[in-house]
Amino acid sequence: MRHLSRLSSRSATGPGGVPAARTEAGAPAGDGRRSGGGRLPSLTGLRFTAAGGVVFTHCALLVSPRLGRTLGPEVWVGASAVSLFFILSGYVLTHSARPTDTARSFWRRRAAKILPNHVLTWCVVVGALAFAGTAAADGGSGTVAHLASLFLVNTWVPSERFLSAGNPVSWSLAAEMFFYLLFPVLLPWIRRLSRRGLLIGAVSAIALVWAGPVFSTLVLHPGGQLFPGRWFLYMLPVTRLPEFVLGMIAARISAEGIRLPRIGVLPAALGVISAVVVNSSLLPHDFMYAASTVAPLVVLVHATAELDLRGRPSLLRTAPLVFLGEISYAMYLVHLVVLGLTYLGLTRLGWSALAAILAALPLVFLFSWLLYAGVERPCMRRFSTSRAHRRDRPGPAAAP
């Protein structure tokens, strides 16, 4: 707990906060192990595809509200994207870790990354609700729910009012903050696992993800009600912890150079898509929150990281996708409010739902960049390290 791996100050997290991975590939060590800490820009590009999946689902729900009742594959794209965020977060934090880090400095960097964007978007959403006189912003219970959302503890309460309070998409940040709290404890334990232990741990984490919907279906809501399962399987932080741990274990498997069947990024991505499309019509809804796609998603993350670790060409490493990956956390937080306000404004003027959404998408990218450049990046530079640490950091050498 005293020492933790130092993450690069540029690491970013998120659906909510997946760290932007570092860019030099880790060189193989003589025993087959790889040195950790190199940046993995392809995973940064992959973060944009995860954010894009969430945006796609919310766009689909606005264009066709019936999907909220039928729960077709379009809905589960977003759910799978959130699972990808959690796995990526565990992978990149573990890969980027350095032995000289402390729990306190780690938590400081995560707070500097997550909280400024969250607090600002929370204020915008709650302010808009109060201005509109929305019932959700009124009353004692509404105030408590919004405050719980501000402090990222609302998802521990099995209540629709709490889960949708504040900026609705920030529920995943409550899970991320829970993961960050445990990371200094989990990392030394996972580092001590043998190669065989890592493989057993990965299988166990996947099994735990599958055990959740079995328990939920048989015990929590045998009558098939939607809400208890959605809260327990999708939004309760402790239930999402195995996905984060699976990402951590996958990073250790890569670092140890454990040979696995080689699966490329494209086959892995097709596996994820197939799991969403096929399983959405075959499996009960409880299995679609995470269980259906957890195995193909971790394969996708591992295959993507291997492109950088082995120095292979990668479309996800290109500058445009890396940039979009860097603003993906901001995009995740602003997209729903921008889509919603634009949709309401334009449809009242007679625009079709599809036309309103298409008009809103450029605004999503614009406000994402503004939030990243104006808030997220400056706050990371200013607050991710203590003033004493910045003062002690050596400056550039004087020119001769």
Side-chain angles (χ1 to χ4, degrees):
M1 180 94 170
R2 186 181 301 171
H3 289 293
L4 228 200
S5 349
R6 174 169 290 224
L7 311 181
S8 147
S9 62
R10 294 188 59 191
S11 290
T13 50
V18 179
R22 308 200 203 187
T23 63
E24 304 87 16
D31 59 356
R33 293 181 175 85
R34 294 174 174 139
S35 59
R39 291 179 70 188
L40 303 174
S42 295
L43 291 187
T44 304
L46 186 62
R47 280 199 298 135
F48 169 67
T49 68
V54 176
V55 174
F56 168 81
T57 289
H58 289 147
C59 288
L61 287 168
L62 288 170
V63 172
S64 182
R66 66 177 179 81
L67 289 172
R69 300 186 302 273
T70 60
L71 298 179
E74 299 90 340
V75 174
W76 303 116
V77 169
S80 300
V82 172
S83 185
L84 175 57
F85 271 129
F86 291 155
I87 295 171
L88 271 171
S89 184
Y91 190 105
V92 176
L93 287 174
T94 304
H95 172 82
S96 304
R98 292 179 184 173
T100 56
D101 204 6
T102 64
R104 183 176 179 178
S105 61
F106 168 75
W107 290 328
R108 182 188 182 103
R109 287 193 303 277
R110 293 306 93 214
K113 169 65 186 178
I114 294 293
L115 295 182
N117 282 6
H118 163 61
V119 172
L120 178 58
T121 53
W122 182 91
C123 290
V124 170
V125 172
V126 174
L129 291 173
F131 179 79
T134 306
D138 301 330
S141 59
T143 300
V144 171
H146 285 307
L147 288 175
S149 171
L150 175 62
F151 289 100
L152 298 175
V153 295
N154 55 314
T155 56
W156 294 94
V157 182
S159 162
E160 286 279 15
R161 178 181 285 260
F162 275 75
L163 297 180
S164 60
N167 184 2
V169 298
S170 67
W171 71 265
S172 66
L173 303 187
E176 288 282 357
M177 295 302 281
F178 176 65
F179 302 158
Y180 300 157
L181 182 65
L182 295 180
F183 184 72
V185 177
L186 294 171
L187 183 61
W189 178 76
I190 289 177
R191 278 179 163 168
R192 286 196 295 267
L193 292 177
S194 65
R195 293 189 170 198
R196 181 181 179 185
L198 288 170
L199 296 176
I200 293 173
V203 173
S204 299
I206 294 173
L208 281 174
V209 176
W210 276 85
V214 173
F215 172 81
S216 177
T217 302
L218 297 180
V219 178
L220 193 61
H221 63 115
Q225 306 95 326
L226 181 62
F227 172 74
R230 184 169 70 90
W231 168 71
F232 177 75
L233 296 171
Y234 191 54
M235 294 183 164
L236 184 62
V238 70
T239 311
R240 307 309 298 261
L241 183 60
E243 293 156 80
F244 179 79
V245 172
L246 179 61
M248 295 180 67
I249 292 173
R252 292 300 305 148
I253 288 174
S254 295
E256 290 290 327
I258 298 175
R259 292 190 168 221
L260 299 174
R262 187 169 296 177
I263 300 176
V265 172
L266 182 58
L270 291 175
V272 174
I273 295 171
S274 299
V276 171
V277 173
V278 176
N279 291 339
S280 62
S281 59
L282 296 179
L283 294 175
H285 294 150
D286 280 1
F287 289 85
M288 295 302 301
Y289 291 114
S292 170
T293 54
V294 65
L297 281 174
V298 74
V299 171
L300 175 61
V301 170
H302 181 268
T304 304
E306 287 294 300
L307 295 178
D308 292 333
L309 293 170
R310 296 178 180 272
R312 292 174 179 161
S314 171
L315 177 64
L316 292 167
R317 198 189 301 132
T318 58
L321 282 175
V322 170
F323 168 75
L324 291 171
E326 289 174 344
I327 69 170
S328 62
Y329 172 50
M331 182 184 300
Y332 178 80
L333 288 180
V334 305
H335 80 275
L336 189 57
V337 63
V338 173
L339 288 173
L341 291 176
T342 307
Y343 174 87
L344 289 174
L346 294 182
T347 52
R348 287 177 180 176
L349 295 176
W351 290 46
S352 69
L354 179 59
I357 291 303
L358 292 177
L361 287 176
L363 295 177
V364 170
F365 285 99
L366 173 62
F367 282 101
S368 301
W369 175 77
L370 289 174
L371 185 61
Y372 169 75
V375 177
E376 179 181 330
R377 188 169 56 184
C379 286
M380 280 291 291
R381 289 173 176 171
R382 172 64 179 83
F383 300 112
S384 61
T385 57
S386 66
R387 184 175 301 176
H389 181 77
R390 289 193 302 272
R391 186 171 57 245
D392 295 341
R393 185 181 298 168

